[in-house]
Amino acid sequence: MELLKERILKDGTIEEGNILKVDSFLNHQLDISLLNEIGKEFRRRFPEKIDKILTIETSGIGIAAIAAQYFNTPVVYARKIDSKNLEKDVYETKVYSYTKGKEYTVKVGKKYLNKEEKILVIDDFLANGKALEGLIDIISQAGASLVGAGIVIEKGFQEGGQDLRNKGIKIESLAIIESLSDGRVIFK
Amino acid sequence: MELLKERILKDGTIEEGNILKVDSFLNHQLDISLLNEIGKEFRRRFPEKIDKILTIETSGIGIAAIAAQYFNTPVVYARKIDSKNLEKDVYETKVYSYTKGKEYTVKVGKKYLNKEEKILVIDDFLANGKALEGLIDIISQAGASLVGAGIVIEKGFQEGGQDLRNKGIKIESLAIIESLSDGRVIFK
C-alpha cells in the first residue's frame, strides 16, 4: 500500500534494536484518515464473508475499529491482563513477547467468539508471529474459522509471517519491511 | 442518549462491587454502529473547535477513534505502561486506580500535544475521576487547552464528575447512572 509506505518513510523512525517507531500515526497518535484508507485496503484484500474482527490490545484496537466499518462487523479485542471487568468464562492462551522479554496470558470471553463464525484478525505489526499464533489458537478453541490476518506492517526479516503462510494461513500485510539496517527502511 | 441507555439496560450486567460490565458492546467486544452514534452525539455536544482527541488506553481507544471521524482530528492515547516503543520525551503523571488498587504512571509523548491546541478528552467511564484528572494534568503540562470531556458512562453516585464540574470543566456524559443497587441500573 503506497500511501502507507510513503508515510512510514516520512514519519517512521528507527530506534536501537531494530525497532521501527510509528508512534506519530499508528501507535500512540492515530491518523484517522490513514486508518480509513487502511481499512478500505483490508476490505479489498479480504472480500470474503467476515462475521467478526479479532485484534489484541492495545495498538490493534484503533486500527480494527476503523477497519470494521468496511466489514460491517463488531470488533473483539483480546486482553492481555487480568482485569476485574473481564468475563471469568474465557478462552486463553500464553504468548511470549520478545519486546517485553516475558510470557503473558491472552484472553477472550467465550461469549464473544462463536462456533463457525468467520474471523478476520487485524493487528498493527507482525514480526515473530507469537501474538498472531495466540489469537489463532483462541479462534481454534472457540471452533470458529480463521479467514486470515490483515497486518499493517510486517517485519519481513523475521520469520513469523513466512512460517504462518507455510501453514496455509492467508496473511495480507500492507507494508513488508525487508531491512531496517543502517537506519534505513527498505521495503520488500 | 436513549440508544445507549437502552443498550446498557439490555446488555449491561452488574458484578460484585457495583461494577457495571458492558463488555458485550463497549469494552471487550465493540459495537461499531453504536460507537458511530456515540461519536455523532459527542460532536453534537462539543460543537467547539477541536484540534485533537485525547484518550487513555485501553478501553478509550476504539471509542475515540470512531468519534474522531466526526471531528476530523487525530487521536492521541495516553499510555499506562513503560514501553520500549514509547518516546523518552514525555509528559507524565501519576494516577491512582481504585479498580486495580494501585498507582500507575500515565504518559504522552511531548510531540503529540502542542501548546494552545484545543483538546477534547474522550473516555468510556467516569467514576472517581482520577484518570480524567491525570489527562487534564498532562494537557496543562503541554500548555494545551482543555475544551471538555466526553464520557460514555458516568457513575453519578461517585464524586468524580461533580468535583470536576465544580472546577468549571465541561463534562458531557451520555449516560449517568444514579444507582446500581439491588442489581438494577437506575439512570439519573
Side-chain angles (χ1 to χ4, degrees):
Chain A
M1 185 182 170
E2 282 312 309
L3 183 71
L4 173 65
K5 291 181 187 170
E6 286 165 16
R7 189 61 176 274
I8 293 168
L9 291 176
K10 179 168 165 278
D11 292 330
T13 55
I14 300 171
E15 305 273 296
E16 272 184 50
N18 268 7
I19 292 177
L20 174 66
K21 278 189 42 174
V22 287
D23 277 7
S24 66
F25 57 96
L26 196 67
N27 282 148
H28 183 26
Q29 178 167 254
L30 305 177
D31 178 335
I32 303 296
S33 305
L34 178 67
L35 294 194
N36 270 286
E37 295 307 316
I38 286 171
K40 286 178 206 169
E41 181 66 16
F42 280 141
R43 174 82 271 193
R44 202 181 65 76
R45 296 191 186 204
F46 290 98
E48 296 94 334
K49 180 178 185 301
I50 305 288
D51 295 312
K52 200 166 274 177
I53 290 175
L54 178 65
T55 188
I56 183 165
E57 65 180 17
T58 303
S59 47
I61 299 172
I63 301 160
I66 298 291
Q69 298 175 121
Y70 300 96
F71 292 88
N72 293 312
T73 62
V75 168
V76 172
Y77 56 90
R79 310 206 70 162
K80 287 180 186 166
I81 42 164
D82 287 311
S83 160
K84 277 191 184 173
N85 291 331
L86 189 62
E87 278 303 282
K88 280 159 205 126
D89 203 15
V90 298
Y91 299 113
E92 62 177 60
T93 193
K94 303 274 185 197
V95 170
Y96 184 79
S97 166
Y98 287 91
T99 317
K100 298 191 176 161
K102 64 174 186 185
E103 194 176 65
Y104 57 93
T105 300
V106 172
K107 299 180 179 185
V108 174
K110 285 191 176 175
K111 67 170 90 158
Y112 305 124
L113 281 181
N114 302 304
K115 217 173 151 113
E116 293 175 18
E117 274 182 333
K118 297 183 188 312
I119 310 294
L120 173 63
V121 173
I122 283 185
D123 208 357
D124 59 341
F125 274 95
L126 170 60
N128 57 64
K130 296 300 172 202
L132 183 49
E133 281 175 19
L135 295 179
I136 292 170
D137 179 34
I138 281 174
I139 291 166
S140 161
Q141 289 179 43
S145 153
L146 173 72
V147 176
I151 303 294
V152 182
I153 302 173
E154 178 177 343
K155 291 183 175 171
F157 53 88
Q158 291 187 248
E159 73 289 354
Q162 203 47 57
D163 287 356
L164 289 162
R165 287 184 185 94
N166 289 344
K167 290 180 185 167
I169 292 167
K170 176 175 176 180
I171 296 181
E172 291 285 340
S173 299
L174 305 188
I176 301 181
I177 292 168
E178 189 169 281
S179 155
L180 290 172
S181 310
D182 306 324
R184 284 178 59 207
V185 179
I186 309 288
F187 294 107
K188 200 173 166 181
Chain B
M1 184 182 170
E2 282 310 311
L3 183 71
L4 173 66
K5 291 182 188 171
E6 286 165 17
R7 189 62 177 273
I8 292 168
L9 292 175
K10 180 169 163 278
D11 291 329
T13 56
I14 300 170
E15 305 275 295
E16 270 185 53
N18 268 7
I19 293 176
L20 175 65
K21 276 189 44 173
V22 287
D23 278 6
S24 65
F25 57 96
L26 196 68
N27 282 148
H28 183 25
Q29 178 167 254
L30 305 177
D31 179 334
I32 303 296
S33 306
L34 178 66
L35 293 195
N36 269 287
E37 295 307 316
I38 286 171
K40 285 179 209 170
E41 181 66 16
F42 280 141
R43 173 83 271 196
R44 201 180 67 76
R45 297 192 187 202
F46 290 98
E48 296 94 335
K49 179 178 183 302
I50 305 288
D51 296 310
K52 202 166 273 177
I53 290 175
L54 178 66
T55 187
I56 183 165
E57 65 180 18
T58 303
S59 46
I61 298 172
I63 300 160
I66 297 292
Q69 298 175 122
Y70 300 96
F71 292 87
N72 293 311
T73 63
V75 168
V76 173
Y77 55 91
R79 309 204 71 162
K80 287 180 188 168
I81 43 166
D82 287 310
S83 160
K84 278 192 187 174
N85 291 330
L86 189 61
E87 277 303 281
K88 282 161 202 126
D89 202 17
V90 297
Y91 299 112
E92 60 177 62
T93 193
K94 303 273 185 198
V95 170
Y96 184 79
S97 166
Y98 288 92
T99 317
K100 297 189 177 163
K102 64 174 184 185
E103 194 176 63
Y104 57 92
T105 300
V106 172
K107 300 181 179 184
V108 174
K110 285 191 177 176
K111 68 169 89 159
Y112 305 125
L113 280 181
N114 302 304
K115 218 173 150 113
E116 294 175 19
E117 274 182 334
K118 297 184 187 312
I119 310 293
L120 173 64
V121 173
I122 284 185
D123 208 357
D124 58 341
F125 273 95
L126 171 60
N128 57 65
K130 295 299 171 201
L132 182 50
E133 281 175 19
L135 294 178
I136 292 170
D137 179 33
I138 282 175
I139 291 166
S140 163
Q141 289 178 44
S145 153
L146 174 73
V147 175
I151 303 295
V152 182
I153 302 173
E154 178 177 342
K155 290 182 174 172
F157 53 89
Q158 289 188 250
E159 74 288 355
Q162 202 48 55
D163 287 355
L164 288 162
R165 286 185 186 92
N166 289 345
K167 291 179 185 169
I169 292 167
K170 176 174 174 180
I171 296 180
E172 292 285 340
S173 299
L174 305 189
I176 301 180
I177 292 169
E178 188 169 283
S179 154
L180 290 172
S181 310
D182 306 324
R184 283 179 60 207
V185 179
I186 310 288
F187 294 106
K188 200 172 167 181

